[in-house]
Amino acid sequence: MQLDRKALLIAAGLVIHPPLLSATESAPAETAVRTAAAIDDIPPAWPIAPPGPPFESKLDADDIPSVQLPAASSAPASPVTAVTDLVTVPISLWQRIRNGFGLPNIATPLVREQEEWFAKRPDYLKRTVERSNRYLYHIVEEVEKRGMPTEIALLPVIESAYNPTAYSRAHASGIWQFIPETGKRYGLQQNFWYDGRRDVMAATTAALDYLEKLYAMFGSWDLALASYNWGENAVARAIAKNLANGLPTDYLSLSMPLETRYYIPKLQAVKNLIANPAQYGIELADVPNRPYFVAVATTRHIDVKLAAKLAEVPIEEFVSLNPGHNRPVIRANGEQKLLLPADKADAFASNLESHGQLLVSWQTYKLKSGESIDRVAARYRISVAELKQINSINGKRRIAAGSTLLVPGGTSATPHLPDLPSSPVTVAKKTPPKATPKATRKGGVVKVAQTRKANAVKAASARKAVKKTAATAKKPTIPKKTATSSPKAIVLAQTPR
């Protein structure tokens, strides 16, 4: 019996990567604002604060690749040579990823520089791999289902180091680094209780949807990836500029910011290290080619600590798998999915069924007029610092009367946990520079107000003179504008990712 080749490949755990859509009519463009993500070594234990200053960690210089241009004498990297096994099902997820590599290799001094950066930081790579162990299988599965090259599954290395609580100064959050507006556009809910940008399953779906759209717009992965970092509008304008000047429009020929110029070389460097870690003196910890977590559904509110206890996992592990929940209680809006280690789902279901006590120990409280946070904390026997952290209260956010707070003390089997919006994101406004006195030729100083007043008088006199001259002069004939007299300016909206 002759076996079908495609069936044999599928049975071997491999996916044939057909090309995605070719470039089609461009959809309305959104742009992406990319900044370096604030990366913590280990996702913190509960209580976990939502994105904002409580969660924004300082950047370590050793945690962000340098963006210094390499010396002209830097040696180019050698292309990766991969041997693909089309029969044996990979035991290691790294091998499965190698088998699915599909992006064209580039060998430039920038790639070599990034290889050296990663190779000199084995501890950084070790932490990144440890974090990726929880999420990478799911990401690879989703990437392969869409026929994408598996290099896409490595993008979080350079976006967030697989830290689901990474938070940037541009308010980008999660392993895929979505800002609030674009997250909502791609279906990521954000409210008081939950932030889908940090939900690994939801954010992965949104990121791959976005990347598919970019690929369809530009017809190449290098331009799609550049757009993910820089924004599709910016890339479109760069292409239009090159076309107008008769220049090539490929990735390497476009003018772009230094961060975007380094973006694809960083991914290529990570690809090279994964393809052949021994060549760079790196010991790559194994990641098994099997699911790390499973999703279980619940229709009841439940404390985070209790859920971890019922699943028989440490609180840190539970939070790492469910980082999208902002509060110490998980609010079930309809059906809520919880991620648990694959071998703990049965224990969770059994323990939940036999748990005869309340599932929630929290409730909401409306702040009364004239009531302070200190008074509420004392009333509910909780420290002021913890109350502020749980409710994302910091020095920049004022709490007015009527505001809803989460406090301890739930006594109902079905506590009232109302719909609440997320805290508004505030962007600091630039303070205009103070006016400085103007020095005169003789070395004296004239006050700015006096100078402005004198200029205003001069301007008024000039306007009167112009009006007087215009009154005595013959008015010129102004030709009427036609539909083709001047081209329309095309403006692309600036909407960050």
Side-chain angles (χ1 to χ4, degrees), residues 138-453:
H138 172 75
I139 297 173
V140 172
E141 282 276 300
E142 295 303 307
V143 165
E144 287 186 340
K145 285 178 183 177
R146 298 168 184 250
M148 291 178 164
T150 51
E151 289 97 330
I152 301 299
L154 302 176
L155 263 186
V157 174
I158 60 178
E159 287 287 343
S160 63
Y162 291 102
N163 182 354
T165 61
Y167 187 74
S168 79
R169 293 182 181 88
H171 306 292
S173 188
I175 64 173
W176 295 98
Q177 287 292 282
F178 276 99
I179 65 169
E181 293 83 356
T182 310
K184 291 176 182 177
R185 190 175 303 116
Y186 284 88
L188 299 179
Q189 298 178 27
Q190 297 155 61
N191 53 50
F192 179 84
W193 308 99
Y194 169 82
D195 189 341
R197 298 176 299 159
R198 298 204 310 262
D199 184 314
V200 174
M201 290 183 67
T204 296
T205 297
L208 299 186
D209 286 347
Y210 187 28
L211 286 163
E212 276 190 328
K213 173 193 171 182
L214 295 173
Y215 183 89
M217 287 177 65
F218 296 103
S220 72
W221 279 115
D222 49 7
L223 293 177
L225 292 170
S227 299
Y228 191 83
N229 176 259
W230 188 21
E232 55 263 49
N233 279 344
V235 171
R237 284 193 296 269
I239 291 174
K241 181 179 178 181
N242 277 24
L243 283 173
N245 294 323
L247 299 174
T249 58
D250 59 288
Y251 167 77
L252 293 176
S253 300
L254 300 180
S255 297
M256 60 184 64
L258 199 58
E259 181 185 336
T260 308
R261 179 65 66 201
Y262 267 82
Y263 194 70
I264 293 177
K266 285 180 189 178
L267 183 60
Q268 179 71 56
V270 171
K271 172 183 178 178
N272 292 349
L273 268 65
I274 299 300
N276 193 353
Q279 178 181 337
Y280 302 93
I282 294 172
E283 185 176 348
L284 198 63
D286 185 53
V287 178
N289 185 21
R290 61 173 182 266
Y292 184 92
F293 62 76
V294 294
V296 298
T298 178
T299 57
R300 303 167 66 187
H301 310 317
I302 186 171
D303 282 359
V304 169
K305 287 184 177 180
L306 178 59
K309 180 181 178 181
L310 297 180
E312 301 177 2
V313 297
I315 183 67
E316 295 83 3
E317 173 72 1
F318 184 87
V319 171
S320 295
L321 289 174
N322 299 276
H325 300 286
N326 297 335
R327 312 298 164 189
V329 58
I330 295 172
R331 180 176 179 270
N333 184 12
E335 184 177 272
Q336 179 65 54
K337 289 183 178 179
L338 302 180
L339 303 188
L340 303 175
D343 59 345
K344 296 296 183 180
D346 291 341
F348 177 80
S350 176
N351 292 334
L352 179 62
E353 184 178 357
S354 61
H355 185 74
Q357 302 176 32
L358 297 178
L359 298 179
V360 177
S361 61
W362 298 86
Q363 60 186 351
T364 54
Y365 176 81
K366 279 194 175 183
L367 197 66
K368 298 176 182 177
S369 178
E371 196 171 28
S372 67
I373 293 294
D374 294 28
R375 184 177 176 183
V376 174
R379 177 179 178 179
Y380 288 96
R381 298 181 182 180
I382 185 175
S383 71
V384 174
E386 186 178 2
L387 182 62
K388 286 184 175 181
Q389 183 184 16
I390 288 170
N391 290 279
S392 306
I393 300 172
N394 53 64
K396 298 178 182 179
R397 182 186 168 202
R398 296 184 61 185
I399 303 299
S403 298
T404 301
L405 300 175
L406 188 65
V407 297
T411 57
S412 171
T414 56
H416 178 57
L417 303 178
D419 289 332
L420 295 171
S422 58
S423 302
V425 174
T426 56
V427 180
K429 295 182 179 179
K430 293 184 178 180
T431 304
K434 293 182 178 180
T436 56
K438 182 177 179 180
T440 64
R441 292 181 181 179
K442 295 182 179 181
V445 175
V446 181
K447 291 184 179 179
V448 174
Q450 294 175 342
T451 303
R452 289 177 178 172
K453 185 176 180 180

Side-chain angles (χ1 to χ4, degrees), residues 34-55:
R34 297 295 311 117
T35 59
I39 297 171
D40 295 325
D41 285 349
I42 301 175
W46 192 262
I48 181 172
F55 228 122

